[in-house]
């Protein structure tokens, strides 16, 4: 009987702690949304974060987009060739990138590079008591530290996703047209005629913005609540990448189901 009661007590404590964590996360998210407008008044801080998060992630985004475009061009050509539709290679590459691979892969790479960096930075501030020092000086750390990074991440990731898609299309062109020999006019004309600005490109932009909000917020949250120890910061950084990646994949499924059902 005592074992059963202990198990129920442990389950109740875990559930209560989980609900408290979710409540804190919801309050922090709403506070960040409310402070985002005020953060624009000090645009220099936001600009620095866009540079830090976006520019420093540009290399891995560009190289990854190029090789993803190479693979799409190669695999797409051999698949379409079976049905005599090799001229539609440009359309296949473009739709794959702007609808799906561009936002998703860019968000995963962003979570691994910029998200981990954000979590480690905020976690080290927590461990070094810098956030506590700001509170002692009557400065809100959420407004001064977290809000500019939150807004900078929301701006940076959609731009990175657009770069990923553009470079990927160029990679598909290099493989399909320059190496394999697909007609260049057919490659671009099929793409131009088949890609819809609102349904395809617009859906990709919506996805990238949602992913930016989710990944940046998770990174900031994990750093903000990290234990002020080296192990705590390391665990928070790992947890940030894992949770962000799973959130991107889950949100991608939900958004895709919603967009294609409308």
């Amino acid at each position: 009987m005592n074992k059963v009661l202990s198990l129920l007590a442990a389950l109740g404590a875990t559930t209560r702690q989980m609900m408290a964590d979710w409540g804190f996360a919801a309050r922090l998210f709403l506070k960040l949304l409310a402070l985002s407008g005020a953060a624009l008044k000090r645009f220099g801080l936001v600009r620095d974060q866009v540079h830090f998060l976006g520019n420093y992630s540009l290399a891995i985004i560009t190289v990854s987009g190029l090789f993803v475009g190479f693979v799409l061009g190669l695999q797409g050509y051999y698949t379409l060739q079976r049905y005599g539709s090799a001229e539609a290679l440009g359309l296949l590459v473009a739709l794959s990138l702007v609808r799906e691979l561009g936002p998703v892969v860019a968000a995963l790479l962003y979570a691994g590079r910029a998200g981990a960096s954000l979590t480690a930075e905020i976690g080290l501030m927590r461990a070094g008591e810098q956030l506590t020092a700001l509170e002692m000086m009557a400065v809100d750390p959420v407004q001064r530290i977290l809000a500019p990074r939150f807004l900078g991440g929301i701006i940076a990731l959609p731009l990175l996703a657009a770069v990923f898609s553009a470079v990927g299309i160029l990679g598909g062109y290099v493989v399909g047209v320059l190496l394999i020999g697909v007609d260049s006019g057919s490659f671009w004309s099929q793409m131009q005629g088949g890609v819809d600005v609102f349904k395809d490109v617009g859906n990709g932009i919506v996805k990238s913005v949602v992913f930016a909000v989710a990944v940046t917020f998770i990174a900031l949250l994990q750093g903000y609540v990290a234990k002020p120890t080296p192990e705590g910061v390391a665990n928070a950084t790992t947890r940030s990448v894992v949770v962000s990646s799973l959130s991107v994949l889950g949100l991608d499924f939900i958004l895709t189901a919603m967009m294609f059902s409308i």
Side-chain angles (χ1 to χ4, degrees):
M1 186 65 180
N2 291 332
K3 291 182 179 180
V4 175
L5 292 177
S6 299
L7 181 61
L8 291 176
L11 180 62
T14 302
T15 304
R16 179 182 178 184
Q17 184 62 44
M18 186 180 299
M19 296 299 292
D21 293 341
W22 288 352
F24 177 79
R27 293 196 305 272
L28 180 62
F29 180 70
L30 293 176
K31 188 174 183 180
L32 284 172
L33 290 179
L35 294 174
S36 295
L40 287 175
K41 296 180 180 178
R42 305 182 68 177
F43 189 73
L45 298 176
V46 179
R47 179 201 60 210
D48 293 342
Q49 293 306 316
V50 172
H51 177 268
F52 174 72
L53 299 173
N55 187 58
Y56 292 166
S57 302
L58 189 60
I60 188 173
I61 291 291
T62 303
V63 174
S64 300
L66 185 64
F67 281 102
V68 168
F70 286 165
V71 173
L72 278 176
L74 195 61
Q75 295 283 8
Y77 173 77
Y78 289 118
T79 301
L80 293 173
Q81 189 184 33
R82 297 180 181 178
Y83 306 99
S85 303
E87 294 79 9
L89 179 62
L91 178 61
L92 173 65
V93 172
L95 289 179
S96 300
L97 286 167
V98 299
R99 278 185 179 180
E100 195 69 29
L101 291 178
V104 173
V105 178
L108 294 175
L109 294 172
Y110 176 86
R113 193 277 170 208
S117 178
L118 276 179
T119 302
E121 183 183 16
I122 303 300
L124 289 174
M125 288 183 181
R126 173 66 70 187
E129 298 185 349
Q130 297 178 39
L131 300 181
T132 304
L134 288 175
E135 294 174 350
M136 293 294 293
M137 293 186 294
V139 177
D140 186 4
V142 176
Q143 181 176 1
R144 180 61 178 79
I145 302 297
L146 269 63
R149 288 165 172 78
F150 182 67
L151 194 57
I154 294 176
I155 296 173
L157 181 52
L159 297 177
L160 292 174
V163 171
F164 186 97
S165 298
V167 174
I169 292 173
L170 289 177
Y173 173 83
V174 169
V175 171
V177 176
L178 300 183
L179 297 183
I180 297 178
V182 176
D183 182 68
S184 177
S186 299
F187 184 92
W188 294 112
S189 63
Q190 291 275 356
M191 182 190 307
Q192 183 179 4
V195 177
D196 186 86
V197 175
F198 296 102
K199 291 183 179 180
D200 300 320
V201 179
N203 287 349
I205 294 174
V206 170
K207 282 186 177 183
S208 63
V209 172
V210 174
F211 296 160
V213 173
V215 172
T216 307
F217 172 71
I218 291 171
L220 293 174
L221 173 65
Q222 295 300 329
Y224 194 67
V225 301
K227 293 182 180 180
T229 61
E231 294 81 4
V233 176
N235 292 334
T237 304
T238 302
R239 189 165 55 248
S240 171
V241 176
V242 173
V243 175
S244 297
S245 301
L246 294 177
S247 299
V248 167
L249 297 175
L251 287 171
D252 178 54
F253 171 74
I254 295 173
L255 292 172
T256 302
M258 293 174 59
M259 290 171 178
F260 281 94
S261 63
I262 296 177

